[in-house]
Amino acid sequence: MLHGFRSFKNSVNHVRHLRNRICTRGLANKHCETSVKNGVGILKFDSPGTKVNVLNEEFSFDCKEAFEDLNNNPEVKSMVFISGKPDCFIAGADINMLAACETKEEIMKLSKGGQDFMQQMEDCKKPIVAAISGSCMGGGLEIALACHYRVALESKKTSLALPEVMLGLLPGSGGTQRLPPLIGLPNALPMMLTGAAKNATQAKKLGLVDLVIKSLGPGVEEPKTLSHNYLEKCAVDVARQLADGSLKKPKRTKKGLNAKALSHNLPLKNKFLRNYVFKKATQEVMKKTYGLYPAPLKIIDSVKNGLESPATGYSRECENFGDLAMTDESRSLQSIYFGKQACEKNHWGKPERMPQNMAVLGAGLMGAGIATVSIDKFPKVILKDVSDTALSRGEDMVRDVFQKKVKRKKMSQFDCDKLMSSLQTEVDYTSFKDVDIVIEAVFEDINLKHRIIKEVEKATPDHCIFASNTSALPIGDLAKASVRPENFIGMHYFSPVDKMPLLEIITTDQTSKDTVCAAVEVGLKQKKTVIVVKDGPGFYTTRVIGALMGEAFACIQEGTSPTDLDKLFVKFGWPVGGATLVDEVGIDVAYKVTKYFLEVFGERISAGNPKVIEELVEAGCLGRKSGKGIFLYRSSAKGGTRPVNPVAQKIMDRYKQEGQMTPSGEDVQWRTYLRSVNEAALCLQEEIISNPVDGNIGLIFGIGHCPQRGGPFQFLDTYGAQAFVDKMRQYEDSLGFRFEPAQIVIDYANSGKKFMSS
């Protein structure tokens, strides 16, 4: 019997040895490959069939199994963790994994599993080197933090961040505990509270990585492959040196009495200074978020607990992670994440002819912006205007965007000059004979646009697409001047074009499917988040803004001051105040839209007296662009607040509704928000938008529609359709029919259906 037991034990050891041998020959599991080079075990993440590695349950299991195989292999003295994808180390956790969890306990189990694995890595006696190239985000960076040494490739693609706060979460696998001692509290908190990414050089300066490897130029293979292979070689060398003792693990405590060392060490060790840092961080969070987002405060709590009570730091992080994942705010932000992903795919299919050569008409702010996001994406981009002077101004605007990137070291001066030299400027149509798409961005004058459409179609080939950047004029009305209405479409960009992510594409009944496919493909190539809507007054985003601004003006006429209106908007979750929004859009633009909407929708969409906007325009109060609108923009008062324009105030006072009680702050917030949500619901009801996801993304990325609520349809599901209808009815009783709830919301309230699951 003893002999049998020994035989069984020998068989088990033999199987383990064979498993290690198989592992070291690279025949590893689905997501991880392993090999051994001169005593260094290499664990390579490489999920099949995808451009990025993400931490899901299967990936995590495979990674842990591969790590344990290397750790148990006596041939392995040290390890290197590296990705098989040069542009992605690990892009973070799979959000679907979190979304599938229904309880806090399920969420905490995921967090605890990540913490345990990374603690196992940190406790490993064999030195582990993280070789980072490409995106190293969230859980990916937490894995790197658990390694004993970090090497990063200096590349445009290399980016390190803990962006969980953007999803209403916190780093839940030890990030809140490992980052502060590594780079110091004053550096760690901003990284986690903002989700800001660091490139390799910045990470080295912070102490986040220990060694930066320069990228290689062209050779036998493409530079990306050569550089990635070189990164692996350097990481293996470092791992070997750590194993044989010729290279010591870095000491994380800064030495000396210089400012860098003191700012790193003192807040970690001195309770008074530590509390001061936490107090200032909390004040800054409340100043920026008004407490609408719970994640930043939970991050501060987790870090504070870990520094003051290390034994409970990880459990507090896990507990807070579970709490946050179950909040409405996190669910809303996750919904935005999924929606954005959906709007960054071409659901219409590939076009028969992908536009290669582009022309932009109008070298103003919008035209120059469209050219800016296009010249590095298309072989030929023409910017046309009526004069060299106008073109020169447009070129300057384009160059200014790229020069700012050069200044921030996001682009080389050589690349900037190369891009500018590729921009072709014209005052006529002589170079339009091979243009595939023309995007018009001239003044909002239908007669001017009609004339331009006819001129362009004479100068371009039959397949050329004509896209108008109008923000409100019906695309169908513009297309009446076209002899090729099947090639006519709207492409509504948002200003500033290089920063605002949304592109609203507008189709008519005559627009061909292939034209839509091509327009979406162009937008995606420009790195835009794209929604496709049907033609109608104001399309989608402008129509909702019209209802929002109409109610804001009504509140002003009832006695709410512009300054108070701004504060109330921001405290409710809008990125800018209501009065500032009007100034940003342009009061002249608001006047044209309001006038048009009154003709189409009647008084339902406006509210208040439209004569106010008319007189503001007549007085030259056009908004920020003219230096004066509701506010003055040539001077700023202390604290960053802008003074109300006395001319505008006089006009608004003249139309103040006598005998009307000034609405409470809460009423102002809810009235303006509910009107925007109801208008969005009407757009879905009328099939202007095809689905709730497009509706959420259009307003979040187009006008900053209170992101913590996830957009109008996520809000309706969270708040409750019946509760929405009841609140609208209350306002309808006192303020009139503009608060009549959309029938589609009434139907959903009666049926119990959810918008985001329909």
Side-chain angles (χ1 to χ4, degrees):
M1 187 173 178
L2 183 60
H3 175 75
F5 175 75
R6 286 172 179 168
S7 298
F8 173 74
K9 185 177 179 182
N10 289 336
S11 297
V12 170
N13 289 334
H14 181 65
V15 169
R16 286 176 177 168
H17 176 70
L18 284 177
R19 184 189 63 182
N20 288 335
R21 292 292 294 167
I22 291 171
C23 185
T24 58
R25 284 200 293 266
L27 299 177
N29 51 33
K30 180 178 177 181
H31 296 276
C32 299
E33 300 174 2
T34 56
S35 60
V36 178
K37 292 182 180 179
N38 299 324
V40 178
I42 300 171
L43 193 160
K44 188 171 290 186
F45 325 114
D46 200 355
S47 296
T50 177
K51 292 181 179 179
V52 297
N53 300 310
V54 294
L55 286 167
N56 54 35
E57 287 190 68
E58 187 180 72
F59 182 99
S60 300
F61 179 85
D62 285 359
C63 186
K64 184 177 180 181
E65 184 181 70
F67 163 72
E68 289 175 348
D69 281 344
L70 290 175
N71 194 30
N72 292 330
N73 187 340
E75 295 179 24
V76 173
K77 307 302 180 186
S78 59
M79 300 180 219
V80 168
F81 281 25
I82 190 170
S83 172
K85 306 177 192 297
D87 292 339
C88 178
F89 183 73
I90 296 175
D94 184 355
I95 307 304
N96 288 292
M97 184 171 62
L98 298 177
C101 295
E102 296 181 356
T103 66
K104 174 183 173 180
E105 288 69 30
E106 289 179 272
I107 297 287
M108 289 179 64
K109 186 178 178 181
L110 291 175
S111 173
K112 185 68 165 58
Q115 288 180 345
D116 289 347
F117 172 51
M118 290 170 206
Q119 191 62 52
Q120 190 179 355
M121 289 172 54
E122 185 177 339
D123 293 341
C124 181
K125 301 299 182 183
K126 300 176 181 181
I128 306 174
V129 176
I132 302 165
S133 68
S135 53
C136 178
M137 302 288 178
L141 181 53
E142 288 180 294
I143 282 181
L145 289 172
C147 295
H148 307 112
Y149 199 98
R150 285 161 291 280
V151 180
L153 183 68
E154 187 178 56
S155 161
K156 291 179 182 178
K157 298 282 188 177
T158 298
S159 183
L160 298 87
L162 292 172
E164 288 86 352
V165 69
M166 297 178 184
L167 294 172
L169 299 168
L170 53 73
S173 295
T176 65
Q177 306 302 298
R178 290 191 176 91
L179 189 64
L182 181 67
I183 66 174
L185 193 58
N187 291 323
L189 282 176
M191 267 195 77
M192 290 185 280
L193 294 174
T194 66
K198 305 296 180 184
N199 61 33
T201 303
Q202 292 169 330
K204 175 67 169 68
K205 189 175 181 180
L206 286 174
L208 187 56
V209 301
D210 303 296
L211 179 66
V212 173
I213 304 298
K214 295 281 186 182
S215 295
L216 301 181
V220 178
E221 297 178 281
E222 63 175 19
K224 183 192 294 187
T225 303
L226 286 171
S227 297
H228 194 63
N229 291 340
Y230 181 56
L231 171 67
E232 181 177 326
K233 178 183 179 302
C234 292
V236 168
D237 288 342
V238 168
R240 189 181 300 113
Q241 292 171 39
L242 287 170
D244 65 24
S246 58
L247 177 66
K248 302 295 183 184
K249 291 180 184 178
K251 291 184 178 179
R252 303 305 179 186
T253 304
K254 306 293 181 184
K255 292 183 178 180
L257 298 176
N258 56 66
K260 184 176 181 180
L262 290 173
S263 67
H264 180 284
N265 297 331
L266 289 181
L268 295 174
K269 297 178 179 179
N270 184 285
K271 184 177 180 180
F272 173 79
L273 288 175
R274 186 167 61 242
N275 287 340
Y276 176 78
V277 171
F278 284 128
K279 181 182 177 182
K280 295 297 289 184
T282 303
Q283 289 174 346
E284 190 66 19
V285 164
M286 294 304 295
K287 180 181 176 182
K288 290 183 176 179
T289 70
Y290 294 96
L292 296 172
Y293 297 86
L297 297 176
K298 289 286 190 181
I299 289 172
I300 292 172
D301 176 72
S302 298
V303 174
K304 189 172 189 289
N305 181 267
L307 292 176
E308 294 177 352
S309 178
T312 62
Y314 286 94
S315 59
R316 178 68 69 88
E317 177 188 86
C318 183
E319 182 85 17
N320 284 341
F321 187 79
D323 287 338
L324 287 172
M326 301 308 294
T327 62
D328 290 339
E329 291 81 4
S330 181
R331 295 294 191 194
S332 294
L333 293 172
Q334 288 178 47
S335 174
I336 295 170
Y337 172 83
F338 288 124
K340 187 173 187 293
Q341 281 193 325
C343 292
E344 289 174 348
K345 296 175 183 175
N346 193 343
H347 302 286
W348 291 79
K350 294 291 181 182
E352 293 178 10
R353 182 198 292 264
M354 175 61 198
Q356 298 296 318
N357 299 326
M358 174 188 293
V360 181
L361 304 181
L365 184 65
M366 294 303 296
I370 296 167
T372 300
V373 299
S374 304
I375 59 175
D376 60 338
K377 313 293 191 314
F378 296 90
K380 177 179 178 180
V381 176
I382 301 170
L383 183 62
K384 183 198 175 295
D385 212 307
V386 294
S387 69
D388 289 329
T389 303
L391 286 170
S392 180
R393 284 197 299 266
E395 278 189 292
D396 287 344
M397 284 188 275
V398 176
R399 184 180 290 104
D400 184 55
V401 172
F402 292 133
Q403 283 298 153
K404 286 177 180 176
K405 289 186 177 182
V406 172
K407 189 175 181 180
R408 296 195 304 268
K409 297 185 178 179
K410 299 285 186 181
M411 175 184 286
S412 69
Q413 187 63 53
F414 174 80
D415 287 339
C416 172
D417 295 340
K418 184 179 177 182
L419 285 175
M420 289 308 302
S421 67
S422 70
L423 179 62
Q424 193 173 330
T425 56
E426 302 285 351
V427 293
D428 55 36
Y429 299 105
T430 54
S431 299
F432 279 47
K433 59 183 180 296
D434 61 348
V435 166
D436 302 308
I437 183 169
V438 174
I439 302 177
E440 165 270 308
V442 301
F443 297 115
E444 292 284 76
D445 183 310
I446 193 165
N447 294 320
L448 172 63
K449 291 179 187 285
H450 276 173
R451 176 170 62 79
I452 287 174
I453 291 164
K454 292 174 182 176
E455 292 173 353
V456 167
E457 291 188 339
K458 288 178 182 178
T460 53
D462 290 343
H463 71 268
C464 182
I465 295 168
F466 190 100
S468 176
N469 179 52
T470 180
S471 59
L473 295 175
I475 301 301
D477 289 352
L478 293 176
K480 289 176 181 177
S482 173
V483 296
R484 304 193 291 259
E486 70 279 2
N487 292 354
F488 204 96
I489 200 165
M491 292 180 73
H492 177 204
Y493 294 84
F494 293 73
S495 182
V497 181
D498 63 296
K499 293 180 181 176
M500 294 294 284
L502 188 70
L503 171 60
E504 183 180 29
I505 291 177
I506 307 102
T507 67
T508 72
D509 292 338
Q510 293 179 291
T511 306
S512 72
K513 182 184 176 183
D514 196 62
T515 297
V516 182
C517 293
V520 172
E521 203 66 27
V522 167
L524 294 177
K525 205 168 182 180
Q526 293 169 328
K527 304 298 183 185
K528 293 297 177 183
T529 301
V530 181
I531 64 170
V532 178
V533 306
K534 285 187 178 179
D535 191 19
F539 321 134
Y540 176 55
T541 54
T542 302
R543 178 170 161 180
V544 173
I545 289 175
L548 176 68
M549 291 195 302
E551 198 60 36
F553 263 109
C555 291
I556 288 175
Q557 289 175 49
E558 291 170 23
T560 303
S561 74
T563 301
D564 286 345
L565 183 70
D566 265 15
K567 290 178 181 177
L568 290 167
F569 260 62
V570 174
K571 287 180 179 179
F572 198 72
W574 295 94
V576 296
T580 297
L581 177 64
V582 176
D583 277 352
E584 293 285 353
V585 170
I587 296 177
D588 54 336
V589 175
Y591 171 63
K592 289 179 182 178
V593 171
T594 300
K595 189 176 178 182
Y596 172 53
F597 282 177
L598 281 170
E599 294 172 4
V600 178
F601 298 111
E603 295 181 3
R604 179 190 69 75
I605 202 165
S606 60
N609 194 328
K611 291 289 289 182
V612 175
I613 305 180
E614 184 179 345
E615 289 197 20
L616 286 171
V617 173
E618 289 173 354
C621 304
L622 306 183
R624 179 185 285 272
K625 61 189 173 187
S626 66
K628 58 180 181 178
I630 295 175
F631 296 107
L632 293 175
Y633 290 89
R634 292 196 176 95
S635 62
S636 180
K638 288 183 179 180
T641 57
R642 295 189 179 277
V644 176
N645 179 3
V647 175
Q649 186 66 64
K650 189 175 180 181
I651 294 170
M652 290 185 289
D653 287 345
R654 190 156 55 244
Y655 287 94
K656 185 176 179 181
Q657 296 178 10
E658 297 297 333
Q660 177 75 44
M661 183 180 293
T662 300
S664 69
E666 185 179 357
D667 276 340
V668 170
Q669 291 172 326
W670 279 109
R671 279 171 54 181
T672 50
Y673 185 73
L674 293 179
R675 283 290 310 281
S676 71
V677 171
N678 198 54
E679 205 63 39
L682 285 169
C683 287
L684 181 63
Q685 179 177 308
E686 297 166 18
E687 298 183 345
I688 296 296
I689 52 175
S690 60
N691 59 75
V693 171
D694 283 0
N696 288 337
I697 296 303
L699 295 190
I700 292 289
F701 290 98
I703 63 175
H705 195 269
C706 301
Q708 84 280 8
R709 291 182 170 84
F713 299 102
Q714 180 73 22
F715 164 76
L716 283 169
D717 284 352
T718 303
Y719 188 71
Q722 187 60 57
F724 174 85
V725 170
D726 293 343
K727 201 164 186 67
M728 288 289 286
R729 293 295 191 201
Q730 292 173 13
Y731 284 123
E732 185 183 17
D733 290 342
S734 58
L735 295 168
F737 69 98
R738 69 179 186 269
F739 280 95
E740 181 182 358
Q743 185 61 45
I744 191 172
V745 185
I746 296 173
D747 293 343
Y748 272 62
N750 292 335
S751 67
K753 287 173 63 179
K754 296 283 188 180
F755 284 95
M756 298 306 293
S757 58
S758 59

